[in-house]
Amino acid sequence: MELLRLTGIHFAYPQRPPIFQGLDFSLEQGERIGILGPNGAGKSTLFLLVMGLLKPQKGEVWALGAARKREKEFQEVRTSLGFCFQDPDDQLFSPTVLEDVAFGPLNQGRDKYQVRLLVADTLQKLGLGGFEDRVTYHLSGGEKRLVSLATVLAMDPQVLLLDEPTAGLDPDTEARLEQVLANSGKSWAIISHDHGFLRRNCTRLLRLQAGRLLPAS
Amino acid sequence: MHLETFAHGHSPLHRLDPRAKLAAALAFSLLLALARAWPLLWAGLGVGLLTVGVARLPLVELAKRLLAVNLFIAMLWLLLPWQVVDSPGWLGLGLAYHPHGLDMALAITLKSNALVLVLMALVATSPINQVFHALAHWRAPVKLLHLFFFFYRYLHVLHREYHRLDWGLKARGFSPGSNWRTYRTYAHVSGMLLVRSYDRAERVYQAMLCRGFSGTYWVLDHFAWQRRDTWFLAVWSLLLLGLFALGRTLA
Ligand SMILES: Nc1ncnc2c1ncn2[C@@H]1O[C@H](COP(=O)(O)OP(=O)(O)O)[C@@H](O)[C@H]1O
Ligand SMILES: [Mg+2]
């Protein structure tokens, strides 16, 4: 079953040369895609397009069962597409870790009491047990990244879209992240420059270069 | 970032439920707004000093904030005693001197300082998100709460971006002086600050959309009303009633 499909995407930032001219991308249920590519190739832009945060000038975005064009149509699927920003400072906005991780599940309409348990459980799995009352903007870089992953995992999305999730993690923490990912049983697309990490955790590698996605090894 | 300098102390006031403190501050400001008699205004200032004393706020920080408030008020002292008139007036400037304006300036000074002191002692002694939560518990208008919340959040963002830029300058050996290069650098920094904060604010908003934000800011914490909160409100009510009675007998 297909979860995501982008066809014939054309996109340029205002007053900039086009980044994509007819890009295709798709993700099947159970697939784990690793995306490589030089800086500035448009990897982050690709995810922003999938999430409907940027709108393509031409082409179609299809996600979780329907074509998505208007804001309302994207709203229906956003919490099922667990997108984690490249910069954790963009991701975290609540004063405390508890509130930030709880934000998504509460928006999904879950019960407050259950959400508390869910947050504790998610943090525990990432080795952040007891971080609930920490102030998000006083965390270290690596801790911020783990918490921003927690905010996504707590929504129990169908797909994970992670933008350079291992940047700034020490080897132990990276290993824990790999374990959490493996145990999650989810499908994902991960952007990374860490070739080894992608090889270990993905079923298929793609390289984004000059506006095209090509198979890589 | 230290917008919450006063929030993390250990005084009895710090331990109170933010709802009790908000209610107390609100009642005080109402009483103060209606007060006319001079003894009452001075008594209000006394109450302000008292609460700040109980809250054991750091004096230097306190002085800084009072200074900021009173710099603004100082302008009133300069402006209020003067009135525009048709005749040539003072030095032919068309202004007339009215000592009555000085009374007004004094009244404003007393009221503002009393209020700022009480707000610092009662409201600033809770972390700001708890204050928001207390307001949310009271069903304050959601739009207004969001406005406060984001205003506050983006102050942090601005401040953090500023520090990053500042560190970037320092790390490359920049030391400010009074020369063109300094001015130009600061101009660049302030421009960059605006652009970056705008970008950051936009991405934070996008991140909220990605997590299903549709206008509700959730309250997770549930405050537990303690006996000390009731006691505090009882004592505070007596104090305000006393002030009120004082005002009535003088009127
Ligand atoms: N908001 C923006 N406005 C204009 N240009 C942008 C913006 N964001 C990114 N770009 C440009 O688009 C290109 C692709 O950016 P991005 O998708 O972030 O690359 P990657 O994630 O692959 O490093 C880069 O050249 C970048 O400079
Ligand atoms: Mg990127």
Side-chain angles (χ1 to χ4, degrees):
Chain A
M1 188 180 66
E2 222 170 17
L3 297 174
L4 291 176
R5 189 176 66 237
L6 275 65
T7 36
I9 297 290
H10 286 241
F11 181 80
Y13 284 104
Q15 277 110 49
R16 303 273 307 152
I19 297 180
F20 304 127
Q21 292 176 288
L23 179 91
D24 297 320
F25 172 73
S26 79
L27 182 91
E28 299 270 335
Q29 175 86 50
E31 236 186 345
R32 296 172 169 180
I33 296 181
I35 299 176
L36 297 149
N39 294 318
K43 304 180 296 298
S44 298
T45 307
L46 172 67
F47 278 7
L48 293 173
L49 285 164
V50 173
M51 295 303 292
L53 298 169
L54 296 174
K55 302 277 159 53
Q57 278 102 33
K58 230 166 90 183
E60 248 201 17
V61 179
W62 187 97
L64 307 181
R68 312 279 165 189
K69 225 182 178 79
R70 284 174 293 132
E71 176 64 17
K72 189 116 189 78
E73 294 161 347
F74 279 108
Q75 270 174 17
E76 290 168 12
V77 289
R78 283 210 181 109
T79 57
S80 307
L81 304 173
F83 174 45
C84 194
F85 277 70
Q86 180 165 5
D87 183 349
D89 277 325
D90 295 336
Q91 184 93 18
L92 305 176
F93 54 86
S94 302
T96 63
V97 170
L98 169 65
E99 288 167 301
D100 219 300
V101 180
F103 183 76
L106 287 172
N107 283 330
Q108 290 174 317
R110 293 204 215 179
D111 167 74
K112 279 182 199 174
Y113 177 71
Q114 285 177 355
V115 166
R116 270 177 185 274
L117 298 181
L118 173 69
V119 171
D121 184 51
T122 312
L123 290 176
Q124 195 72 47
K125 276 188 198 146
L126 285 164
L128 296 171
F131 265 57
E132 281 94 332
D133 290 324
R134 295 282 297 276
V135 176
T136 51
Y137 33 86
H138 290 160
L139 298 174
S140 81
E143 289 167 343
K144 277 186 193 167
R145 187 163 294 282
L146 283 180
V147 172
S148 61
L149 283 166
T151 68
V152 169
L153 291 172
M155 298 190 298
D156 193 22
Q158 290 189 46
V159 188
L160 294 171
L161 299 170
L162 310 181
D163 196 346
E164 302 198 19
T166 57
L169 296 186
D170 62 58
D172 285 351
T173 314
E174 185 178 318
R176 194 159 58 225
L177 172 64
E178 285 189 40
Q179 189 135 45
V180 172
L181 285 177
N183 292 340
S184 76
K186 294 190 187 304
S187 311
W188 58 66
I190 299 181
I191 295 171
S192 177
H193 294 295
D194 183 345
H195 202 249
F197 177 83
L198 291 185
R199 288 276 285 270
R200 286 194 299 280
N201 298 289
C202 296
T203 54
R204 183 156 76 99
L205 296 194
L206 296 173
R207 178 179 298 279
L208 181 62
Q209 203 155 16
R212 312 212 155 271
L213 275 169
L214 300 170
S217 54
Chain B
M1 177 73 182
H2 291 294
L3 286 175
E4 294 177 54
T5 337
F6 300 142
H8 302 288
H10 298 283
S11 83
L13 286 186
H14 283 90
R15 284 194 293 272
L16 290 176
D17 191 306
R19 288 171 297 178
K21 292 193 283 184
L22 265 176
L26 200 68
F28 180 76
S29 59
L30 273 178
L31 185 76
L32 205 62
L34 297 174
R36 292 278 173 275
W38 289 111
L40 196 51
L41 296 187
W42 286 104
L45 189 65
V47 171
L49 288 171
L50 188 76
T51 39
V52 162
V54 176
R56 296 203 293 266
L57 299 182
L59 287 179
V60 178
E61 286 298 324
L62 193 67
K64 274 195 213 159
R65 290 180 194 210
L66 284 179
L67 186 69
V69 172
N70 286 294
L71 274 179
F72 181 72
I73 293 175
M75 295 203 307
L76 295 180
W77 283 86
L78 291 178
L79 293 177
L80 280 180
W82 297 98
Q83 232 167 37
V84 181
V85 288
D86 281 338
S87 56
W90 186 69
L91 292 181
L93 288 173
L95 293 174
Y97 180 73
H98 278 277
H100 173 70
L102 288 181
D103 284 350
M104 195 124 83
L106 180 61
I108 294 177
T109 310
L110 290 176
K111 284 186 181 191
S112 316
N113 279 287
L115 190 59
V116 168
L117 286 171
V118 164
L119 286 179
M120 282 195 289
L122 292 183
V123 182
T125 46
S126 290
I128 196 82
N129 58 316
Q130 284 193 19
V131 176
F132 288 143
H133 283 181
L135 288 169
H137 270 278
W138 284 343
R139 312 233 174 280
V142 174
K143 288 233 163 67
L144 205 62
L145 280 182
H146 282 163
L147 201 68
F148 280 144
F149 176 73
F150 286 112
F151 174 70
Y152 183 71
R153 192 72 203 89
Y154 291 142
L155 266 182
H156 274 285
V157 170
L158 262 169
H159 193 263
R160 194 175 48 202
E161 295 292 346
Y162 169 72
H163 270 291
R164 288 194 183 171
L165 288 166
D166 188 44
W167 287 342
L169 289 180
K170 287 190 176 132
R172 283 177 287 158
F174 174 77
S175 64
S178 58
N179 50 42
W180 271 116
R181 188 159 168 269
T182 303
Y183 300 142
R184 204 174 49 230
T185 309
Y186 278 140
H188 287 168
V189 165
S190 31
M192 193 53 113
L193 188 61
L194 280 179
V195 174
R196 285 228 279 209
S197 309
Y198 177 80
D199 272 0
R200 168 102 41 207
E202 186 142 300
R203 285 196 304 271
V204 168
Y205 180 62
Q206 291 182 335
M208 296 176 75
L209 287 182
C210 286
R211 288 195 271 152
F213 179 68
S214 56
T216 318
Y217 180 60
W218 299 93
V219 182
L220 256 187
D221 275 329
H222 285 282
F223 305 120
W225 191 270
Q226 309 275 329
R227 188 177 295 156
R228 59 172 180 248
D229 298 309
T230 313
W231 273 111
F232 164 73
L233 276 189
V235 171
W236 190 258
S237 308
L238 278 179
L239 197 66
L240 293 193
L241 271 177
L243 284 181
F244 184 70
L246 177 71
R248 290 306 290 263
T249 50
L250 291 169

